Amino acid sequence: MSLVVAEITKRFRDVTAVDHLSFTVREGSLFGFLGPNGAGKTTTMRVTLGILKPDEGSVTWQGRPMDRWGVGFYGYLPEERGLYPKMRVAEHLEFLGRIHGLDKLKARRETARWLDRFELGQVRSKRIEELSKGNQQKVQVIGTMLHDPQLLILDEPFAGLDPVNTALLKEVLLEAHGQGKTIIFSSHRMDQVEEICQDIALINRGRLVLHGNLREIKKSMGRQILRLSLEGNSVFWAKIPGLQLLVERADYLEFRLAEGVDPNHVLKEAMDAGQVIRFELVEPSLDQIFVEKVGEGA
């Protein structure tokens, strides 16, 4: 494991933001770092990068403390954006490249390349304050990746992006992953994490709730979710004990099956009630796992 967060605790006066938290991140992985608001995600990221000093515990990369890795090793996208509003876009990005170790020529070349990649070439001479929030977010992401860091830590990178630019950023992150970069990001959008992440850590109240390979976590939860579409008596399910309605959509109903409920019995009842269009047992979504696990700790 390249990144090892070992028993870190961080307090702010009487508030313990992170409480003996430990997890590991494999080198080259896409890692989702999750938790409800106030769970301690941002504090953990800042401790990981040495921006905040932990009261207890340690963080290492390949066995060495993070502060031993020097300028340009990581890229950090904070949740609170930190652009200089009066600077022009290309000027700002070249400045960020220089302070992360690039020479002037390479900073200029990489700025031009990334602006084209994010479809921002037409705004290169505009001031940051003249850009939309979405374009400011893209500039901030470029500034995080411009110097080609090995480790990327992104706090809510999709915030403020429309669906088209969300898809573009996903594509860029997958490209970076394909180049062997290690990428850690937090998001309140579980579908985004589920779509691209291999491993996750879920924290609540500063403590670890769940950690591991996302595929294996979902598999361990079992196929306890039923999606059913029926033409006929769609409320037949109300008389079946242990069948909990989770979602009612125009195209299907989604249920949670309690332990001991026989799916074949449910199917028979559904067929007696009408024409079954869809009957599918699936693993829980990450959103459902998140709600369940955070609810257990409430």
Side-chain angles (χ1 to χ4, degrees), residues 70-113:
V71 175
F73 165 69
Y74 68 81
Y76 174 48
L77 178 72
E79 185 176 14
E80 304 84 8
R81 306 314 179 214
L83 299 174
Y84 296 107
K86 299 298 182 183
M87 291 185 74
R88 301 188 185 278
V89 171
E91 173 191 17
H92 200 320
L93 290 172
E94 289 173 20
F95 165 73
L96 292 175
R98 294 296 302 277
I99 66 175
H100 283 101
L102 300 185
D103 62 41
K104 186 175 182 179
L105 181 60
K106 188 167 185 179
R108 182 170 298 170
R109 185 170 63 244
E110 289 301 301
T111 292
R113 183 175 73 86

Side-chain angles (χ1 to χ4, degrees), residues 11-234:
R11 304 180 186 90
F12 298 96
R13 295 188 178 180
D14 297 331
V15 176
T16 301
V18 181
D19 190 3
H20 294 91
L21 178 63
S22 297
F23 62 89
T24 57
V25 179
R26 295 182 295 116
E27 185 171 5
S29 66
L30 263 165
F31 189 92
F33 189 50
L34 313 174
N37 291 333
K41 301 187 301 297
T42 296
T43 299
T44 301
M45 289 179 168
R46 291 174 175 172
V47 169
T48 297
L49 296 174
I51 298 170
L52 295 175
K53 185 177 180 180
D55 298 306
E56 301 172 34
S58 64
V59 181
T60 59
W61 175 270
Q62 296 182 353
R64 295 169 56 191
M66 291 295 290
D67 59 7
R68 302 274 183 90
W69 288 94
V71 175
F73 165 69
Y74 68 81
Y76 174 48
L77 178 72
E79 185 176 14
E80 304 84 8
R81 306 314 179 214
L83 299 174
Y84 296 107
K86 299 298 182 183
M87 291 185 74
R88 301 188 185 278
V89 171
E91 173 191 17
H92 200 320
L93 290 172
E94 289 173 20
F95 165 73
L96 292 175
R98 294 296 302 277
I99 66 175
H100 283 101
L102 300 185
D103 62 41
K104 186 175 182 179
L105 181 60
K106 188 167 185 179
R108 182 170 298 170
R109 185 170 63 244
E110 289 301 301
T111 292
R113 183 175 73 86
W114 278 104
L115 285 174
D116 287 343
R117 184 70 181 83
F118 274 88
E119 301 173 355
L120 290 175
Q122 74 280 7
V123 301
R124 59 178 295 114
S125 298
K126 287 190 175 183
R127 299 185 189 278
I128 297 294
E129 64 186 1
E130 297 177 298
L131 304 183
S132 67
K133 289 184 178 180
N135 280 343
Q136 287 185 28
Q137 174 72 347
K138 290 200 289 184
V139 171
Q140 186 94 35
V141 171
I142 292 173
T144 303
M145 304 181 70
L146 183 72
H147 56 288
D148 196 29
Q150 284 300 112
L151 173 65
L152 285 165
I153 296 186
L154 314 173
D155 201 349
E156 295 291 342
F158 298 101
L161 297 181
D162 61 28
V164 171
N165 285 307
T166 293
L168 175 59
L169 179 54
K170 287 180 182 177
E171 183 179 298
V172 168
L173 293 180
L174 289 171
E175 287 175 3
H177 168 62
Q179 296 165 2
K181 311 296 186 187
T182 303
I183 303 169
I184 303 171
F185 74 89
S186 70
S187 176
H188 286 97
R189 291 284 306 275
M190 296 299 106
D191 57 327
Q192 294 168 346
V193 176
E194 194 165 11
E195 185 177 346
I196 67 175
C197 284
Q198 302 158 316
D199 304 321
I200 64 166
L202 170 60
I203 68 171
N204 189 27
R205 298 180 180 177
R207 295 187 174 186
L208 187 69
V209 174
L210 195 64
H211 176 225
N213 178 266
L214 178 56
R215 187 74 201 90
E216 292 301 317
I217 289 171
K218 293 184 68 175
K219 186 176 180 181
S220 72
M221 304 289 287
R223 293 182 179 271
Q224 55 183 254
I225 304 299
L226 168 63
R227 291 178 182 159
L228 171 67
S229 180
L230 176 73
E231 290 183 355
N233 177 19
S234 59

